[in-house]
Amino acid sequence: LAQKRQLVLSTYGLNGDLFKRIVYEPFGKLCQCELVLETGNAADRLAKLDARRANPNVDVLQITDFLALDASAKGLLQPIDQKKLKNLEQIYDFGRDPLRNREAIAYTVYSVGLVVRTDKASGAIKSWKDLWKPELQPSLKGRVMLANITGNQGLAQLFMVDRAWNGFGGDMSTGFAKLGELKPSVVTYYTQTAQMTALFAQDEAWVAPVGRFGWLNLKKTGKPLAWVVPSEGQIGMMNTISIVKGSKNADLAHQLIDFWLSREVQEALANALADSPVNRTVKLEPEAAEALTWGKAQIDSLVFMKPEMVMRERAGWVTMWNRMIAAK
C-alpha cells in the first residue's frame, strides 16, 4: 500500500487541541495526507529552516510578517500562486500580500490598543499623547504600565508614540524621547501577558498598551476596564503563512493555505478564540466579537508598520531602548 504523503507545517504550537480539531484533522481527511507539525518559538524555527536550506524538511511556515520578510531575504521562501487560492478575494486587502512579493499571506491579525481603568482616567485618555497630559500625571504616576521592546507590543507602542508626536524617520528618536519623559510614571515594562494581567488585577496598573488577544483575560479580573482605540489608531500585527523554497509538496501547501483562509475555518478558529480572522465574510458570536480584532471599528483603526523597516531598524531600537529606557 502506498504511504500517505506528508505535509510539514512549522508553527507556534499554541492552542494545539483547537487547531487539531478545526484545521489539522479536517485538512488531513480532505487532502488524504498527513499533516506533521514542527513547533517552537519563531526565532528557533527560522534558524532551523536556514540550517536545512539545502534539503528542507518543512513545507509551510507560519511566522510574523517581519520575520517572514527575513526568511524571504534569506531565500527561504517561494512565491505563492495566488490563482490557486479561491478564498484569497475574501481576505482583507492588507493581508493578501503583506511582503509585496507574493511570498506570504496573513492568516490572522491582532491590534494593540490601550486598556484603561474606567474609574481612574478612562474618559481623559483618548489618544496615545494623553498619557503625557500634565493634569493626568499626578494620578497616573506609578500607574502606567508599558511593554518591553523585546515583544511585539513594545514595538507597537514605540511606533505609535513616535507617530503620535510626529516623529520622522526609522530611528524612532521622537518616540524614545517621549517614553523617556514618561519613566517616572511607569510601574514596570512588562514582558509577558500574564504579568500585565496580574498588575491590573492587583490595582498596580491603570493604563497599558495591550494586544487584543489579552483583552478577554483582563475583563475576567473584574476590574472596571475599557478598551480604548486611540485617535491615532492601533497597530495591526500580522502572522503570515508561506511556502518554503524547495518544498516537494507545493500543491498540498497551496491547498492548506486556501483551507486556512476559508470562511468556515477562519470563523471556527475565531469563535473558539484561537485567532482573529482576516476573512472579511466571517460572522462572530458575541464573546468572540468582543474579544478579538474584528468588526469595522477595529479593522478601520489599524496602522501597520512596514516589515522592511522593522527588520532594518529593530536592532538599533533595542540598543536605544537599553540606553534610554532600561538604564537606571
Side-chain angles (χ1 to χ4, degrees):
L1 294 176
Q3 288 186 329
K4 279 187 177 180
R5 291 174 66 189
Q6 287 189 339
L7 183 71
V8 181
L9 169 66
S10 173
T11 189
Y12 292 95
L14 303 173
N15 296 315
D17 290 340
L18 283 176
F19 283 102
K20 181 179 179 181
R21 173 172 57 83
I22 296 171
V23 183
Y24 306 149
E25 289 183 346
F27 180 74
K29 293 177 182 177
L30 180 69
C31 71
Q32 292 297 298
C33 63
E34 181 184 1
L35 197 57
V36 179
L37 304 182
E38 180 179 273
T39 60
N41 70 58
D44 289 347
R45 292 187 292 111
L46 192 56
K48 289 178 182 178
L49 207 65
D50 196 10
R52 302 170 184 152
R53 63 167 60 235
N55 188 26
N57 69 324
V58 168
D59 300 293
V60 180
L61 173 68
Q62 289 184 327
I63 209 161
T64 61
D65 57 345
F66 51 88
L67 287 179
L69 184 65
D70 188 24
S72 175
K74 292 175 178 176
L76 300 175
L77 306 179
Q78 66 184 56
I80 297 170
D81 187 348
Q82 295 188 351
K83 295 178 182 177
K84 295 181 178 179
L85 307 179
K86 68 181 188 302
N87 294 307
L88 188 62
E89 290 186 359
Q90 298 176 7
I91 305 306
Y92 291 118
D93 290 346
F94 62 73
R96 294 182 188 179
D97 188 19
L99 306 189
R100 294 183 289 280
N101 61 8
R102 298 200 171 190
E103 291 188 358
I105 296 171
Y107 68 90
T108 187
V109 64
Y110 70 87
S111 55
V112 179
L114 291 172
V115 170
V116 181
R117 277 284 292 260
T118 58
D119 57 338
K120 304 299 181 182
S122 176
I125 296 180
K126 299 178 181 178
S127 158
W128 292 93
K129 294 174 72 173
D130 288 342
L131 299 182
W132 285 261
K133 272 187 174 180
E135 59 268 34
L136 287 180
Q137 284 307 302
S139 62
L140 289 182
K141 188 173 179 64
R143 303 291 186 176
V144 176
M145 178 165 44
L146 297 181
N148 195 285
I149 194 68
T150 54
N152 287 344
Q153 286 71 253
L155 295 177
Q157 153 195 287
L158 173 62
F159 181 84
M160 290 308 299
V161 169
D162 190 84
R163 190 173 189 264
W165 290 96
N166 300 312
F168 180 77
D171 65 355
M172 300 292 162
S173 56
T174 299
F176 277 115
K178 299 308 294 185
L179 290 174
E181 289 177 17
L182 202 61
K183 283 178 70 172
S185 295
V186 177
V187 59
T188 194
Y189 300 92
Y190 75 90
T191 56
Q192 297 179 329
T193 303
Q195 177 192 14
M196 177 268 297
T197 304
L199 287 180
F200 269 111
Q202 295 160 11
D203 292 328
E204 294 186 46
W206 290 352
V207 59
V210 176
R212 186 71 176 179
F213 55 84
W215 175 227
L216 197 61
N217 280 336
L218 280 173
K219 291 184 69 177
K220 291 177 181 176
T221 64
K223 300 298 179 180
L225 300 173
W227 183 276
V228 175
V229 176
S231 57
E232 302 89 355
Q234 307 179 106
I235 279 286
M237 309 292 286
M238 288 182 278
N239 283 347
T240 62
I241 189 166
S242 299
I243 302 176
V244 175
K245 187 175 183 180
S247 166
K248 300 176 179 64
N249 298 296
D251 56 334
L252 294 180
H254 281 90
Q255 287 181 46
L256 177 62
I257 293 172
D258 200 42
F259 184 75
W260 212 298
L261 298 178
S262 68
R263 180 190 62 79
E264 294 80 7
V265 170
Q266 290 266 306
E267 194 167 277
L269 287 173
N271 282 322
L273 305 179
D275 274 337
S276 294
V278 291
N279 188 308
R280 291 179 285 104
T281 69
V282 163
K283 304 297 182 186
L284 297 190
E285 297 167 1
E287 183 184 29
E290 172 66 15
L292 302 178
T293 302
W294 180 83
K296 182 174 174 57
Q298 284 284 327
I299 296 300
D300 287 352
S301 75
L302 297 181
V303 176
F304 293 94
M305 295 183 286
K306 293 181 179 180
E308 57 269 26
M309 178 191 70
V310 177
M311 290 310 304
R312 182 181 66 245
E313 305 288 350
R314 188 175 186 180
W317 296 343
V318 172
T319 298
M320 185 72 75
W321 178 277
N322 289 335
R323 185 162 64 239
M324 295 186 64
I325 308 300
K328 300 294 183 183

